[in-house]
Amino acid sequence: MSEKAVSAALLEVRGLTVYHGQLRALDNIDLAVATGETYAIIGANGAGKSTLLRTIVGLHEPKSGHVVLDGRDITREAPDRRLAAGVALVPEGRRLFPSLTVEENLLVGMHKARPGTFDMKRVSELFPWIPDRRKQRASQLSGGEQQAVAICRALLANPRVLLLDELSLGLAPIVVRRIYEVLPALVAEGLTILLVEQDVAQARQIASQVHCLLEGRTSLTGRPDEVTAEQIEEAYFGVGALPVSASAADPGG
Amino acid sequence: MEWANAIVQGIVTGGFYALFACGLSLMFGVMGIINLAHGDLAIIAAYVAIALIPSTHLPMVWAFVVVVPIFAVGGYVVQRTLLQASLDRSPFTTLLVAFGMSVIIENVLLEVFSANGQSITIGTLITKSFSLNSTITISYFSVIVLAVAIMVLGGIQLFLSRTATGRLVRAVADDREAAQLVGANYRHVFGIAAAIAFATVALAGLSYGMLTEFVPTSGVTTLLFAFESVVIGGIGNVWGTLVGGVVLGVAQQIGAQINPAYQILAGNLVFLAVLAVRPRGLFGMRTA
Ligand SMILES: Nc1ncnc2c1ncn2[C@@H]1O[C@H](COP(=O)(O)OP(=O)(O)O)[C@@H](O)[C@H]1O
Ligand SMILES: [Mg+2]
């Protein structure tokens, strides 16, 4: 227990810097997600949100910094090992296997499953239409349905931390609402969630902590009730975007 | 009746082409590798058989039992080392590496075995045949090869569609990165696909060496026929490959019936015609 006290966070990112070629996509990012927490990363297009999640699961190699899961440094581990350790990503754009059926997509999601509460029966409770559609090819589903299957595919691995990259991308508001409705049930089961969202209102509503990225840097962190809409707007678009400081030529840095 | 004979012989040859082609199709479908050394690998299998089997005093047909597993293991190893290292660089590097492998294999075979034609002699089975009627006579061995081709293709189809590992192979072929996200070690999956491809190419090469005489450079022609079968049938479709092989075989036999000089030409023309009308092949399905 004493070790847990040193690092109460389940997932921690320390001083993470990531390059895409010459471009510094992330610059010295720190964050800590506590067990059972829902943590939201917000930021404009190109801020580095996806790069952050993809680096956490091992799809990008950081220039420097560490990814730590429950006190264990997993920075050098391959993506498949990180899944086995308990980090699962629902990637931007769903990324289902188009030529596989719904059921096959879910079965593939289970092939390195850790022991846990999520099985076929449990995910069918979350989205009751899934059993009827299980023989359909994933490519024949609508965007919202694909997003639901993508979430289930990740859940079936029984992760400790679920990373969600822009669930709402390209979906109608009503569909987005239906998908976000299942998240509280997941949190209630003890799942820790790190999500990326461009929709600030959605993020503030669901998260216990928001973390704003601006051009690869942390521009704001805090509890949703601590930060004001103005602060978020400033952190989201950068100082230069605000009429008040339009004369401030130096973007700071 | 000569035409009927041409068609029957074409079908039997087609089975043989399909056996050659399925490994090529698998490597391209799963890893995106155009294995230009595919035909040469088949010829290696034939040479390995004539180099190894006589010293074991086993009947030559045992070559299948000995060489095919060696090739499966070899396929896994080559994929995990040389081919994976090339893929990590770029698809173009991989193409060049495969081409380089082809050149090296042919030269080493020439050096070791000379350019004299050889064949794997399996005794009287190769000359036995049966007659359907007065004009159609079929060799037993080519019917066996056709049957083996159908079993191999059926086996691959079942493996891909019914087993957990086969499902993973399809997932990796669809989206390598997403497969990593669900915990797949895609390099290992690539190795499995290569092991199957190499095993089938060994089968094809041994059958080839039993059916006809071969020289170190025979791989080039066999690669061409395998490639045409895959493209005619449609990439990524197991049964399409069989149909592709049969279409090619029948076209060649009909061409030869018109004029023996037209055999290869007729096959190439049908290949080009299919490519022009259906660029994805007769059964190509790689459209989401
Ligand atoms: N694989 C990549 N190669 C090169 N540049 C990339 C790659 N992925 C992202 N980028 C660039 O990195 C920056 C951050 O991208 P990303 O993390 O996708 O942002 P976000 O998800 O916040 O929209 C962008 O400028 C983007 O163009
Ligand atoms: Mg993104």
Side-chain angles (χ1 to χ4, degrees):
Chain A
M1 278 279 94
S2 60
E3 281 170 15
K4 291 272 171 67
V6 175
S7 149
L10 179 57
L11 177 72
E12 233 181 311
V13 164
R14 296 184 193 145
L16 204 67
T17 299
V18 181
Y19 280 79
H20 291 305
Q22 296 289 315
L23 176 81
R24 192 192 294 149
L26 291 178
D27 187 2
N28 198 21
I29 301 297
D30 291 299
L31 65 86
V33 187
T35 305
E37 186 180 24
T38 300
Y39 193 111
I41 311 281
I42 57 174
N45 235 331
K49 307 181 298 295
S50 295
T51 301
L52 177 59
L53 295 195
R54 289 166 57 86
T55 309
I56 291 173
V57 296
L59 293 177
H60 297 307
E61 200 183 325
K63 187 108 184 164
S64 60
H66 298 273
V67 178
V68 180
L69 180 71
D70 202 9
R72 186 159 74 93
D73 192 327
I74 56 170
T75 318
R76 298 279 153 239
E77 286 187 11
D80 55 311
R81 302 287 309 279
R82 297 190 200 203
L83 182 96
V87 189
L89 169 66
V90 177
E92 187 173 283
R94 285 60 106 168
R95 303 284 287 270
L96 293 181
F97 304 111
S99 72
L100 272 56
T101 65
V102 168
E103 185 174 39
E104 286 174 332
N105 268 278
L106 297 176
L107 287 170
V108 169
M110 288 173 78
H111 91 283
K112 282 222 183 121
R114 298 151 38 82
T117 52
F118 289 101
D119 55 13
M120 284 290 192
K121 188 164 158 285
R122 180 74 187 89
V123 299
S124 303
E125 284 165 19
L126 292 176
F127 300 101
W129 54 267
I130 284 184
D132 294 334
R133 313 281 296 272
R134 67 184 193 280
K135 294 293 174 202
Q136 239 173 3
R137 275 183 188 234
S139 56
Q140 292 169 338
L141 301 181
S142 71
E145 290 162 349
Q146 290 192 14
Q147 191 61 275
V149 175
I151 293 172
C152 293
R153 184 178 68 177
L155 283 176
L156 284 166
N158 276 305
R160 305 177 70 187
V161 187
L162 182 65
L163 313 189
L164 303 167
D165 196 349
E166 291 205 48
L167 293 183
S168 56
L169 192 74
L171 301 181
I174 172 130
V175 179
V176 175
R177 204 174 322 135
R178 236 178 264 146
I179 289 197
Y180 268 97
E181 269 167 16
V182 307
L183 295 194
L186 306 182
V187 174
E189 297 206 18
L191 199 65
T192 305
I193 296 179
L194 174 59
L195 64 88
V196 156
E197 189 49 74
Q198 278 205 46
D199 182 342
V200 176
Q202 183 70 262
R204 289 186 73 165
Q205 194 192 329
I206 195 154
S208 49
Q209 188 80 14
V210 294
H211 184 137
C212 188
L213 291 181
L214 175 65
E215 292 172 4
R217 293 174 197 190
T218 300
S219 54
L220 179 80
T221 60
R223 290 214 320 268
D225 53 6
E226 283 174 352
V227 295
T228 64
E230 289 77 36
Q231 282 174 315
I232 289 185
E233 192 176 340
E234 194 178 309
Y236 198 97
F237 295 107
V239 176
L242 288 179
V244 186
S245 44
S247 58
D250 182 19
Chain B
M1 271 327 255
E2 282 140 20
W3 296 102
N5 185 45
I7 290 170
V8 171
Q9 303 302 339
I11 290 172
V12 177
T13 323
F16 172 65
Y17 289 162
L19 191 56
F20 246 113
C22 62
L24 192 69
S25 176
L26 198 61
M27 299 267 292
F28 184 76
V30 178
M31 290 86 108
I33 294 177
I34 300 172
N35 186 10
L36 294 178
H38 189 77
D40 303 291
L41 290 171
I43 305 304
I44 295 186
Y47 277 110
V48 169
I50 55 172
L52 269 190
I53 303 301
S55 64
T56 62
H57 304 290
L58 291 169
M60 250 324 185
V61 220
W62 279 81
F64 290 109
V65 182
V66 177
V67 180
V68 171
I70 294 178
F71 262 65
V73 174
Y76 186 89
V77 172
V78 170
Q79 174 60 40
R80 289 304 299 265
T81 53
L82 182 65
L83 293 176
Q84 186 63 57
S86 329
L87 283 174
D88 288 343
R89 285 171 180 80
S90 75
F92 186 62
T93 309
T94 314
L95 191 68
L96 288 181
V97 165
F99 182 65
M101 272 168 58
S102 165
V103 172
I104 292 169
I105 291 169
E106 284 175 22
N107 282 289
V108 169
L109 289 178
L110 268 174
E111 201 60 44
V112 178
F113 295 99
S114 85
N116 295 335
Q118 311 218 38
S119 65
I120 306 172
T121 39
I122 52 167
T124 53
L125 174 64
I126 207 72
T127 52
K128 284 190 182 148
S129 60
F130 59 98
S131 302
L132 284 185
N133 58 30
S134 58
T135 50
I136 306 182
T137 301
I138 307 173
S139 109
Y140 275 113
F141 189 74
S142 57
V143 173
I144 293 174
V145 172
L146 176 63
V148 168
I150 291 172
M151 284 191 304
V152 166
L153 290 166
I156 291 177
Q157 173 71 37
L158 279 179
F159 165 74
L160 289 175
S161 62
R162 293 287 150 79
T163 69
T165 308
R167 191 160 58 221
L168 208 56
V169 171
R170 284 183 291 138
V172 168
D174 263 3
D175 189 335
R176 188 184 307 182
E177 200 174 83
Q180 283 182 279
L181 291 177
V182 295
N185 176 353
Y186 79 91
R187 291 157 197 266
H188 175 64
V189 174
F190 278 6
I192 293 171
I196 297 171
F198 274 52
T200 61
V201 85
L203 265 178
L206 294 172
S207 314
Y208 182 77
M210 292 172 186
L211 275 170
T212 159
E213 215 179 57
F214 55 90
V215 293
T217 51
S218 298
V220 179
T221 351
T222 55
L223 173 69
L224 177 66
F225 296 158
F227 185 70
E228 290 184 338
S229 304
V230 171
V231 175
I232 292 173
I235 285 161
N237 184 315
V238 172
W239 293 119
T241 304
L242 182 63
V243 175
V246 167
V247 167
L248 181 67
V250 170
Q252 288 183 348
Q253 293 299 325
I254 288 177
Q257 189 63 41
I258 297 165
N259 181 334
Y262 292 165
Q263 179 172 355
I264 310 293
L265 178 68
N268 292 347
L269 287 178
V270 167
F271 164 70
L272 288 176
V274 170
L275 209 54
V277 179
R278 289 187 65 107
R280 289 178 182 279
L282 297 176
F283 300 93
M285 300 195 305
R286 285 262 145 181
T287 43

